[in-house]
Amino acid sequence: MSDTKQIKPPLTIKLCAPRGFCAGVDRAIQIVELALEKYGRPVYVRHEIVHNKFVVDGLKAKGAVFVEELSEIPAVDAGRPVIFSAHGVPKSVPEDAEARNMFFLDATCPLVSKVHKEAQIHDRRDREVLLIGHAGHPEVIGTMGQLPAGTVALIETEEDARKFQPKSDRSLAYITQTTLSVDDTAGIVSVLQERFPDIVAPHKEDICYATTNRQEAVKHVAPDVDAMVVVGAPNSSNSQRLREVAERAGCKVAVLIQRASDIEWPDFEGARSLGLTAGASAPETLVEEIIDAFSTRFDVIVETVRTAEETISFNLPRELRDVVSTPQAATG
C-alpha cells in the first residue's frame, strides 16, 4: 500500500532578534491594563495606544474605550481615567483635559518625551527647529504641537532638506521622529549639515534604540533569505520601515502582514528560507501564529538570529505603581 502522505517542502525560518515589543510599547499597554485593574471600566484611551489592531482589540475586550478626541468622551464619564497614547500628544491635549477637569495618565514613550523636551529647549534658546519625520503621523503631530503652530519646520525627504529656507538668521537645530529609517534619516541629516554646517544635532540619537536594533537585525538576515515577513500594522511607522529595509538589503519578497490570515501564499512558492521579524508594537503571539501557518505548508526549521540584547525598561506613572507587586525599574 503506497504512502499517500504529502511531503512538505523544507523551509528555514530565520527569526530576527530583537523583534516585537519595545520598552515604550510594553509600558503603554501596561498602563492601560493597570488602570483598568485599579479604576475599573471604562478607561478611555486617546488614539490607539499603539499601532496594532490585535493589541487594541484585546484592550477593548477588557474595558478600554478608544477615542480620537477628548470631546468624544461622554460628560457622565468625565471623571474616568483618560490615557494618552505612546506616540505622544500636542501640549493642547493635556491643557484641554485639565480644562475639562479630566483625570489623565500619560503613556507617551519616554524616548518620545525626550524629543519633546529637545524641541522646547531649542525654542527657548532661540533656535529655529526642524523636525525630520512623516507628515500626519501621531508622533510628529505631538512633537510639532509642543511649540506654537508654524514654529517647527517638517522635513520628510532629502529634497525637502535641499529646498528648506530658514525664516530668519536664527541658528538652526534638528530633531527626529523616533521610528524612522536610520539610513534615510542619515541621508537627510547629511544634506542639512552640508547646507548648514552649524546646525545643532541631538545630544543623543533621537531614533530610538528599538527601531535601530530591529532594522539592524533585518539588514543582517534579509540578504540571505528568499523572502521576508514583517509582522505589524500598515499604520505602524517602524513596521513599514522594516519592510523597506529588507527590500533595500536585497530581499526580493518583503511583505508587511498583520495576521496569518493575511499571508498571500503565492508570494512564497519555491521559498526555502524566510526571514521573520515584528514591529515594535506587534506582540510575540502574532509571530508564533505566522510560524504555525507556515508549518502547515512547509517542513519548518526555526533559527534565531540575534544581533543585539535589550534590557531597557521604563517607570510607570506614580498613580499606578501601587497596583504592581514588583517595582518597575528604569535602566535606560
Side-chain angles (χ1 to χ4, degrees):
M1 193 172 176
S2 62
D3 185 1
T4 57
K5 185 177 179 183
Q6 187 177 2
I7 297 173
K8 294 188 284 189
L11 180 71
T12 299
I13 295 180
K14 297 196 175 199
L15 196 55
C16 294
R19 66 182 175 278
F21 280 0
C22 61
V25 164
D26 194 51
R27 173 181 179 268
I29 294 167
Q30 201 177 4
I31 286 171
V32 179
E33 291 176 335
L34 292 175
L36 284 162
E37 187 178 333
K38 181 171 182 175
Y39 303 109
R41 58 171 65 195
V43 164
Y44 287 89
V45 185
R46 186 188 179 277
H47 191 64
E48 291 184 339
I49 189 69
V50 297
H51 284 156
N52 187 275
K53 186 177 185 300
F54 181 85
V55 171
V56 168
D57 287 347
L59 293 173
K60 281 180 181 176
K62 293 177 181 179
V65 178
F66 290 84
V67 297
E68 286 303 311
E69 299 298 340
L70 299 181
S71 58
E72 297 172 41
I73 298 173
V76 69
D77 282 342
R80 302 299 303 164
V82 182
I83 298 170
F84 302 149
S85 81
H87 312 97
V89 295
K91 265 188 172 181
S92 58
V93 173
E95 289 170 358
D96 185 22
E98 286 173 355
R100 295 171 184 269
N101 292 317
M102 289 178 166
F103 166 53
F104 60 87
L105 298 164
D106 191 356
T108 301
C109 173
L111 299 179
V112 174
S113 297
K114 163 190 170 285
V115 179
H116 289 183
K117 288 171 188 169
E118 286 173 348
Q120 293 160 6
I121 289 168
H122 289 318
D123 190 56
R124 282 201 299 271
R125 292 179 179 171
D126 199 32
R127 294 172 183 148
E128 187 172 348
V129 180
L130 286 69
L131 170 61
I132 301 172
H134 296 296
H137 190 277
E139 183 185 328
V140 166
I141 293 168
T143 300
M144 294 183 78
Q146 300 307 304
L147 301 179
T151 304
V152 180
L154 181 62
I155 306 293
E156 294 191 80
T157 63
E158 289 186 26
E159 186 61 24
D160 288 347
R162 290 188 192 95
K163 290 180 177 176
F164 170 75
Q165 293 299 326
K167 294 178 182 175
S168 66
D169 57 1
R170 290 189 300 160
S171 60
L172 300 176
Y174 76 85
I175 55 180
T176 81
Q177 185 179 337
T178 64
T179 55
L180 297 177
S181 158
V182 173
D183 294 336
D184 284 350
T185 305
I188 294 170
V189 169
S190 177
V191 172
L192 290 174
Q193 289 176 333
E194 184 181 335
R195 291 190 63 208
F196 311 105
D198 296 328
I199 192 168
V200 179
H203 289 299
K204 187 178 178 185
E205 185 67 64
D206 285 341
I207 296 176
C208 83
Y209 77 94
T211 297
T212 302
N213 288 348
R214 280 149 190 71
Q215 289 180 20
E216 286 302 315
V218 168
K219 285 179 189 176
H220 188 79
V221 168
D224 300 327
V225 293
D226 298 322
M228 191 89 197
V229 169
V230 179
V231 184
N235 61 337
S236 165
S237 173
N238 74 86
S239 300
Q240 288 284 11
R241 304 295 81 76
L242 290 175
R243 184 190 58 76
E244 293 169 1
V245 166
E247 282 182 345
R248 290 177 186 177
C251 190
K252 292 177 182 175
V253 177
V255 295
L256 175 66
I257 60 175
Q258 298 193 75
R259 301 292 302 268
S261 56
D262 300 330
I263 297 172
E264 298 285 348
W265 292 110
D267 290 343
F268 304 99
E269 278 182 15
R272 292 296 173 264
S273 57
L274 175 75
L276 179 58
T277 190
S281 49
E284 186 65 11
T285 186
L286 298 185
V287 175
E288 294 167 359
E289 179 183 285
I290 300 296
I291 294 173
D292 289 344
F294 275 94
S295 296
T296 64
R297 293 170 179 251
F298 295 87
D299 183 12
V300 166
I301 296 173
V302 179
E303 297 176 0
T304 297
V305 181
R306 180 169 294 280
T307 53
E309 296 287 344
E310 294 180 350
T311 57
I312 291 176
S313 60
F314 296 122
N315 277 330
L316 291 166
R318 287 186 180 84
E319 297 91 339
L320 298 176
R321 290 179 200 170
D322 61 337
V323 188
V324 286
S325 51
T326 343
Q328 298 296 304
T331 58

